[in-house]
Amino acid sequence: FEVGDVGRLTIGGDVQGGSVQNSGRMLVGEVDFLGIGGSIIGGGAATATIEAGRIGQLVVAGSLTGGGLEPLRIEALANRFEPAPEVPFGSITIGGNVTFTRIHAGFATSFGQPSPDVQIGNVTVQGNWIASDLVAGALPGPSGDFGDGDDVLAGPVNDPNFIARIAAISIK
């Protein structure tokens, strides 16, 4: 589904992708609070995704689980025209595991020019972190994977004095 800017968006149960392209997809402008009462689960070749301009607080009671050929994607761009630092994710809290998932700040497939001038607030995961990426201000290089030495900045730098960062990560 697609919505514009909202203050609070809550889904009581799971969000699950299927075998059809864009199944389990949420496209939102800016949201202050996004709460999922269950888990977000990818489907076959077309995984579930959340794409946003900004997510102030993301709370998932269950797990994030990619499926099929693509990881589960949660992407937030922030406003590229605001002064740095931009904060696409204010905080992220996951009640379960994070498996085959890409959480990406400074890039959103549907939201135009990526940005390297971004921050992610506190990230808390109550379960395990398995085969997943948490990325601020970078894009994968030619390999398509993060962390292999060919990653690049996510677009031109707005503020050369700013360094993309993640405030804190807690995996319990």
Side-chain angles (χ1 to χ4, degrees):
F1 66 88
E2 294 184 29
V3 296
D5 295 347
V6 294
R8 185 175 188 89
L9 178 58
T10 303
I11 296 173
D14 293 337
V15 174
Q16 183 156 0
S19 59
V20 178
Q21 187 68 30
N22 293 327
S23 61
R25 179 178 184 235
M26 287 190 281
L27 181 62
V28 298
E30 294 196 5
V31 59
D32 295 328
F33 175 86
L34 175 56
I36 308 295
S39 295
I40 305 175
I41 306 159
T47 189
T49 63
I50 297 173
E51 297 175 55
R54 182 188 61 80
I55 300 174
Q57 182 180 14
L58 173 63
V59 177
V60 178
S63 295
L64 302 177
T65 306
L69 304 174
E70 294 291 326
L72 172 67
R73 292 187 347 255
I74 301 176
E75 304 169 342
L77 179 61
N79 186 344
R80 189 148 168 74
F81 303 105
E82 294 293 321
E86 301 161 19
V87 184
F89 292 101
S91 67
I92 300 170
T93 304
I94 309 300
N97 297 324
V98 176
T99 305
F100 195 37
T101 297
R102 180 174 287 174
I103 301 171
H104 200 172
F107 174 81
T109 303
S110 299
F111 282 90
Q113 180 70 37
S115 174
D117 299 332
V118 295
Q119 291 184 348
I120 298 174
N122 293 338
V123 177
T124 303
V125 177
Q126 297 295 328
N128 297 307
W129 186 274
I130 304 165
S132 297
D133 299 314
L134 178 64
V135 180
L139 295 172
S143 70
D145 296 318
F146 283 105
D148 60 2
D150 69 350
D151 301 338
V152 297
L153 286 176
V157 175
N158 284 343
D159 183 347
N161 297 313
F162 180 76
I163 299 172
R165 69 183 60 195
I166 300 167
I169 301 171
S170 175
I171 301 171
K172 300 185 178 190

